Amino acid sequence: MAHDTPGSGPGAQDAPGPWLRVLRLADGLSILAARIAAVMITVIAVILAYEVLARYVFRAPTRWTSDVGTTLMIWLTFLAMAQSLRSGGMIRITALIGNAPPGVRRAAQGFTLLVIGGFSVLAVWLCTGALIESYSMGRRQPTMLQMPEWIAEAPIILGYACLALQALADLIRLPLRPAPIFVSSEEAEARHLSKEPR
Amino acid sequence: ERTLRATVQVAVNHPIGANVVTFADTLRDISGGEMTVEIYDSAQLFKGSEVPKAVASGAIDIGVVLADEYSGTLPAAGVFSVPFLFPSYEVLARAADPDGAFRKTFDDMIASTGTKVLWWQDYGPVQLLSKGEALVEPSQMQGKLVRAMGKPSGDFIDAVGGTPVVIGGSEQFMAYQRGTVDVGMSGTTAVESRKLYEVMDHVTMTNHSLAEFIVVINDALFDALSDEEKAWVTEAAMVAEQSLREQTEANNEASADWLSDGHATVTPLTPEQLAAWQDAAAPAVEVFVRDGGDLGKQLVDAIQALY
Amino acid sequence: MTPVLIVCALVLLLLLTGLPVAFTLASLGTGLIVLKGLPLALIPTNLFGSLNDFVLLAVPLFLLMSNILLRGGVGRDLFVAVQSWVGHWPGGIGVAALLSCGIFSAISGSSVTTAATVGTVAVPEMTKRGYKPSFTLGLLAAGGTLGILIPPSVPLIVYGVIAEESIGKLFLAGVGPGLLLITVFGLYAVLSAAFGDNAEASPRASRAERVLATRRALPTVLLAVVMLGGIYAGAFTPTEASAIGATMALAITVAQRSLGWTQFLGAVKDSVQTTTVIFLIVVGAKIFGQAITLYQIPAQVAHVFDTHVPGQFGFIVIVSLILLFIGLFLESMSMLLIMVPVLLPTVMALGLDPIWFGVYFVLLIEIALITPPVGLNLFVIQAIANMPLGVVVKGVVPFVLMMLGVAALLSIFPQIVLWLPFHL
Ligand code: NA
Ligand code: NA
């Protein structure tokens, strides 16, 4: 599942030419978003542990930890989404295409990127409309904190926008690079885990 | 011919779900089969918290939702959870009068979010549960961890000196069994159906608030119905509402009787004890009026005029 | 029945093109919605709603905890301690490996981390002592699967969210079957050492060695006790337990100086990526699940069972066969998220306990984790041992048979699952 070794992801070197900057921007955004997500997961652990402490030691449970924790979780999931495409970490069945000739592998990867890109654009479009509705209606969650709903909705649009960009960048690079090599994500993770330094 | 899709977060054999079936059957009969309702129960499509948005956006035509789910967006929608505002079934029935001030104000408020209220589903009063002793005095709540369902019930617990801990319906049993909270909160019938009496041996009949569900339909869809269709839908909705209101009172009394028949200690409040609870809970009514603004004030006044 | 078959064929076709599971489900769900003229508003409503659930927060945090412990070298401490107690028995090192898997399962929510953590230390030790490679690798691949049955468990959390069942109850329900599996596996290890295998036992550890090793492993065991004890005693919810676990794991590994900054960052990064990968499937499955519900597919499946299959037992047998087949190819989370919404209405209609079904489903996922061609635990152990996949596959055969036997036991005696959550 999650790993950093290039599976179906980027190959040897980047495409030359004017696109280079755009492509690097997409990569950079993906990496930055994933880093922010890493900070968030740590923050979630700490605030929830604090909640238990507050309840038992101070007998004063907080009103905000569950809402803030859940919202951060949504942010981190969607922020890290593009990076998981970039690193080839998504779960897929590679049994059939793994051994196919290079042309087929390229076509399969192209199809994947088109579907992901297409769905992401649709998601951004539909969700933006829904977010505007939430915001203008002043929708809030019916919890103790009553957080405005758009706060947990915005990352979904941002995440799919990054993903659409990343899919486009990978699609542009597809013909310029050697055909992608599909190691099943499971195998890749297994190798990654077994080589963990400890 | 027209088919409406409805989402329900409980099963169709639960009173709230069965009531939607009553609506569907009535609508089919009175429209001579012109209008049918497809029911998706057990939250197959949407959780309760998603319903206001799902119906407003047209993702689903009709949805059943606890009125409190609107209370984030519209604080005044938490009115049914304002402590001791509805002292009896009679007051609730008067408040539900379609031509009355309370009903009109409430339904218009919900309509402002793009969801038209079709009918109300009474599920009955909410009680406090405890272990070892009944909670006859509000002072017994001091420093206790108490299950809350959301913001409005949380405000009540704050007011009487307890500490609210929000716990979902499905984790309720374990939270009581394991003592995650000291005091429980639940509708009377749920104490029986969810077997809560096994882990909380005392039920204090505070009747401090109401679990009121509302059934909403997408506003634009309702507007697009023909006048004849609107009349059918409205009539079927009123049939469903009346039938549940009658059943609910009977069901709740039956549950209370069943519980006191050797399953739990059921303690009603004396008028003096009730008065003490009402006094202690007064700050929560103030919070509601402050958060709910003009609408909140109007709703509270409209109810108090019905006492 | 035709729509059911068409949808099945489409899922399979898209998966075979190598389209990631998350987007197979999301795009097929979207396609079905558009095709039937259902409102497009379903899509944003789902995307906004699918992860907005406090219960799901336990997933990233349990992952974070196991990743921290994995990188903090907890596997070695645990194994050494258990080995000092039982290693001198016949088949003792195998038993030590199994017990280590069991203990680590009580702090890890995933099978892969369990197999990796214990496997990295136990495989070389068992190999050194002359255990047959296929037996060693099979035992660790299978022992690792305990990670999702013994609480905490990521699949049980996700099941609880789909089925709206108590995570606490599901966790308690996994304990009985988990202990049963360890016992059965352990007996097999002892018996196969007694008859046939000429593997040597490790020398009996001295009292001082035992004390030293146990002291080193104690914090980890304590962590399991605090977390599960806390859930059991009602001190905190499963989600809070995950946060306490992650924080304690960090404190322990830092105090023991076994977790550096780089390892910590690695653990955090892995947890984020795995979380994202799992949750994207959750999101895709929500869109897909809603589309097939609106096509009445789960209702049709329930109807087919109702008219053609006699009773609960027939349902269990057929579902098991289907899941065993799907489990050959599909990864665990995808199995769960695709199949549970389809089957749940039938489970309810037949009067099966949804808590029992969740645990039974997870047992079948465990089998899927060690059946080729796609079995996550097979790959982990293969990579650790650096041996051909065939050796691991040969080794898991007896374990798969034992797990099928346990599955049959759970069907005949559902109390193994249900006693603890309902009576303790
Ligand atoms: Na576990
Ligand atoms: Na498999």
Side-chain angles (χ1 to χ4, degrees):
Chain A
M1 279 175 276
H3 62 96
D4 224 7
T5 46
S8 56
Q13 70 275 71
D14 257 316
W19 282 101
L20 190 62
R21 266 197 196 167
V22 184
L23 300 184
R24 287 228 173 113
L25 177 72
D27 290 345
L29 268 176
S30 299
I31 294 169
L32 177 71
R35 285 199 184 141
I36 298 173
V39 176
M40 285 179 176
I41 198 172
T42 319
V43 173
I44 296 174
V46 172
I47 64 173
L48 285 191
Y50 170 78
E51 159 74 21
V52 177
L53 200 74
R55 191 162 72 229
Y56 286 100
V57 181
F58 314 125
R59 286 296 275 191
T62 67
R63 300 293 154 90
W64 51 272
T65 43
S66 67
D67 288 3
V68 171
T70 310
T71 305
L72 283 176
M73 171 183 80
I74 297 172
W75 273 89
L76 87 83
T77 302
F78 287 97
L79 283 184
M81 187 164 60
Q83 174 64 11
S84 82
L85 174 66
R86 207 180 80 88
S87 66
M90 292 194 194
I91 293 171
R92 60 201 326 199
I93 291 181
T94 52
L96 196 68
I97 50 165
N99 301 316
V104 175
R105 295 205 309 265
R106 204 171 254 149
Q109 181 67 0
F111 175 68
T112 286
L113 293 171
L114 274 176
V115 171
I116 292 180
F119 180 82
S120 302
V121 170
L122 183 73
V124 170
W125 176 57
L126 293 172
C127 290
T128 305
L131 180 125
I132 291 170
E133 194 262 2
S134 272
Y135 183 82
S136 55
M137 188 154 288
R139 281 192 193 280
R140 285 166 179 270
Q141 293 173 346
T143 51
M144 299 294 276
L145 192 62
Q146 300 195 315
M147 195 189 280
E149 295 199 356
W150 64 265
I151 296 178
E153 296 173 348
I156 298 166
I157 298 172
L158 255 158
Y160 278 108
C162 286
L163 188 63
L165 259 176
Q166 187 69 52
L168 181 69
D170 285 2
L171 203 58
I172 293 165
R173 281 187 285 222
L174 191 64
L176 309 169
R177 286 181 170 182
I181 296 159
F182 297 108
V183 181
S184 94
S185 50
E186 288 86 0
E187 281 181 64
E189 187 194 7
R191 288 204 193 128
H192 170 65
L193 277 173
S194 63
K195 286 191 189 108
E196 229 26 88
R198 51 179 84 74
Chain B
E1 285 191 15
R2 190 190 292 271
T3 303
L4 302 171
R5 296 189 186 90
T7 176
V8 186
Q9 74 253 39
V10 292
V12 283
N13 57 14
H14 180 283
I16 294 296
N19 185 240
V20 181
V21 178
T22 305
F23 168 76
D25 292 347
T26 312
L27 182 59
R28 190 197 54 218
D29 292 347
I30 60 177
S31 69
E34 288 286 307
M35 297 188 83
T36 47
V37 182
E38 271 175 20
I39 299 172
Y40 296 90
D41 72 335
S42 303
Q44 289 174 71
L45 291 182
F46 294 105
K47 292 178 290 188
S49 56
E50 294 173 284
V51 168
K53 250 195 294 188
V55 174
S57 67
I60 187 85
D61 302 332
I62 293 175
V64 174
V65 59
L66 194 63
D68 280 1
E69 296 285 9
Y70 279 90
S71 68
T73 313
L74 304 164
V79 66
F80 293 104
S81 290
V82 175
F84 306 106
L85 203 55
F86 295 83
S88 64
Y89 288 102
E90 291 70 46
V91 171
L92 173 62
R94 272 177 245 149
D97 175 3
D99 298 319
F102 182 86
R103 176 83 179 238
K104 280 195 166 138
T105 312
F106 184 86
D107 286 3
D108 286 352
M109 171 179 75
I110 300 293
S112 71
T113 62
T115 56
K116 181 187 159 47
V117 179
L118 284 179
W119 78 95
W120 292 7
Q121 294 183 308
D122 303 349
Y123 190 50
V126 178
Q127 321 297 3
L128 294 179
L129 317 177
S130 50
K131 290 178 189 169
E133 55 172 8
L135 299 163
V136 290
E137 297 289 341
S139 57
Q140 290 170 277
M141 299 289 276
Q142 208 63 45
K144 295 246 170 68
L145 297 177
V146 186
R147 186 231 172 174
M149 296 134 149
K151 170 87 165 62
S153 57
D155 289 339
F156 162 57
I157 296 162
D158 268 338
V160 295
T163 303
V165 180
V166 176
I167 290 169
S170 58
E171 292 293 347
Q172 216 185 150
F173 184 92
M174 271 200 72
Y176 299 159
Q177 185 184 31
R178 310 300 192 204
T180 308
V181 289
D182 311 310
V183 175
M185 189 188 287
S186 164
T188 324
T189 48
V191 181
E192 182 184 348
S193 63
R194 284 187 184 264
K195 296 187 169 30
L196 302 179
Y197 60 90
E198 288 182 0
V199 287
M200 284 292 197
D201 54 359
H202 280 263
V203 181
T204 309
M205 304 298 275
T206 51
N207 294 321
H208 62 270
S209 65
L210 291 174
E212 194 72 9
F213 287 82
I214 53 178
V215 183
V216 289
I217 186 169
N218 178 268
D219 214 12
L221 171 71
F222 189 81
D223 284 345
L225 297 180
S226 71
D227 286 345
E228 195 182 27
E229 287 174 319
K230 280 181 191 162
W232 287 333
V233 170
T234 312
E235 188 187 337
M238 282 305 121
V239 170
E241 176 163 333
Q242 277 311 321
S243 90
L244 186 61
R245 184 153 299 133
E246 284 153 25
Q247 282 170 33
T248 292
E249 190 172 348
N251 286 348
N252 277 269
E253 281 163 9
S255 270
D257 287 346
W258 184 88
L259 286 169
S260 51
D261 188 22
H263 295 96
T265 308
V266 178
T267 311
L269 295 181
T270 65
E272 298 75 44
Q273 289 166 340
L274 181 64
W277 271 100
Q278 283 170 330
D279 282 350
V285 184
E286 282 162 28
V287 169
F288 174 76
V289 171
R290 192 193 63 213
D291 291 355
D294 284 347
L295 273 172
K297 183 87 178 67
Q298 276 177 41
L299 288 171
V300 171
D301 291 346
I303 274 296
Q304 286 170 343
L306 298 172
Y307 287 169
Chain C
M1 202 57 205
T2 328
V4 180
L5 295 175
I6 293 174
V7 170
C8 283
L10 282 173
V11 172
L12 200 68
L13 191 74
L14 285 176
L15 285 177
L16 286 177
T17 66
L19 187 63
V21 177
F23 286 92
T24 298
L25 296 175
S27 61
L28 191 54
T30 306
L32 289 171
I33 286 169
V34 172
L35 203 65
K36 204 174 179 189
L38 294 165
L40 276 177
L42 282 165
I43 292 159
T45 312
N46 279 317
L47 291 175
F48 287 167
S50 49
L51 297 184
N52 203 345
D53 194 331
F54 181 62
V55 175
L56 278 179
L57 247 180
V59 172
L61 297 179
F62 277 130
L63 288 169
L64 180 62
M65 171 174 56
S66 3
N67 279 323
I68 287 174
L69 293 173
L70 172 67
R71 297 191 185 235
V74 156
R76 173 164 305 282
D77 298 342
L78 202 59
F79 181 72
V80 169
V82 180
Q83 195 189 2
S84 76
W85 290 94
V86 302
H88 57 283
W89 298 358
I93 308 182
V95 175
L98 281 171
L99 288 177
S100 304
C101 283
I103 297 172
F104 194 76
S105 292
I107 33 179
S108 160
S110 103
S111 283
V112 188
T113 30
T114 306
T117 310
V118 181
T120 37
V121 282
V123 168
E125 181 68 14
M126 287 176 73
T127 311
K128 193 175 83 188
R129 301 279 177 187
Y131 281 83
K132 264 199 318 220
S134 65
F135 173 80
T136 304
L137 304 189
L139 178 129
L140 280 153
T145 67
L146 288 168
I148 57 171
L149 185 59
I150 293 177
S153 157
V154 170
L156 281 178
I157 295 168
V158 174
Y159 177 85
V161 169
I162 309 174
E164 292 214 34
E165 288 296 330
S166 156
I167 309 297
K169 275 188 188 169
L170 284 164
F171 277 10
L172 286 178
V175 173
L179 295 178
L180 180 62
L181 264 187
I182 296 186
T183 313
V184 173
F185 287 175
L187 281 176
Y188 174 75
V190 172
L191 288 177
S192 61
F195 306 99
D197 254 343
N198 50 3
E200 55 177 302
S202 55
R204 179 188 278 272
S206 72
R207 203 187 151 74
E209 282 171 327
R210 279 184 187 172
V211 169
L212 195 71
T214 309
R215 194 181 290 158
R216 179 106 187 135
L218 210 57
T220 314
V221 178
L222 213 67
L223 178 57
V225 171
V226 167
M227 234 173 39
L228 298 181
I231 295 175
Y232 166 68
F236 32 76
T237 64
T239 310
E240 290 168 348
S242 67
I244 293 178
T247 318
M248 273 178 70
L250 191 60
I252 291 171
T253 45
V254 168
Q256 294 189 336
R257 296 170 191 281
S258 52
L259 189 81
W261 184 242
T262 350
Q263 282 107 320
F264 172 68
L265 286 183
V268 167
K269 207 175 75 183
D270 274 5
S271 310
V272 168
Q273 287 217 21
T274 311
T275 302
T276 304
V277 164
I278 291 176
F279 281 177
L280 283 185
I281 302 178
V282 171
V283 172
K286 173 122 189 200
I287 297 175
F288 178 74
Q290 212 159 54
I292 62 167
T293 303
L294 288 164
Y295 272 71
Q296 311 273 6
I297 287 177
Q300 286 175 27
V301 169
H303 181 71
V304 169
F305 273 106
D306 192 39
T307 46
H308 299 294
V309 182
Q312 295 185 348
F313 212 72
F315 171 77
I316 294 170
V317 170
I318 292 178
V319 165
S320 306
L321 290 175
I322 294 173
L323 292 182
L324 286 173
F325 177 74
I326 296 180
L328 298 178
F329 309 97
L330 216 54
E331 166 280 340
S332 54
M333 205 53 65
S334 323
M335 257 173 93
L336 191 73
L337 284 160
I338 295 174
M339 293 307 291
V340 170
V342 176
L343 296 174
L344 213 53
T346 317
V347 170
M348 298 311 236
L350 285 170
L352 283 166
D353 191 303
I355 301 272
W356 177 88
F357 186 67
V359 169
Y360 190 79
F361 201 112
V362 165
L363 180 62
L364 290 169
I365 292 180
E366 286 188 80
I367 298 178
L369 283 166
I370 51 172
T371 51
V374 180
L376 212 53
N377 275 25
L378 293 178
F379 300 145
V380 176
I381 296 299
Q382 177 210 8
I384 287 169
N386 209 3
M387 293 253 203
L389 193 63
V391 181
V392 198
V393 172
K394 188 177 159 222
V396 296
V397 172
F399 291 95
V400 170
L401 293 177
M402 285 182 269
M403 289 161 98
L404 289 173
V406 168
L409 279 178
L410 298 191
S411 316
I412 301 166
F413 305 107
Q415 306 91 301
I416 301 172
V417 179
L418 296 175
W419 192 84
L420 211 52
F422 288 97
H423 290 94
L424 210 67

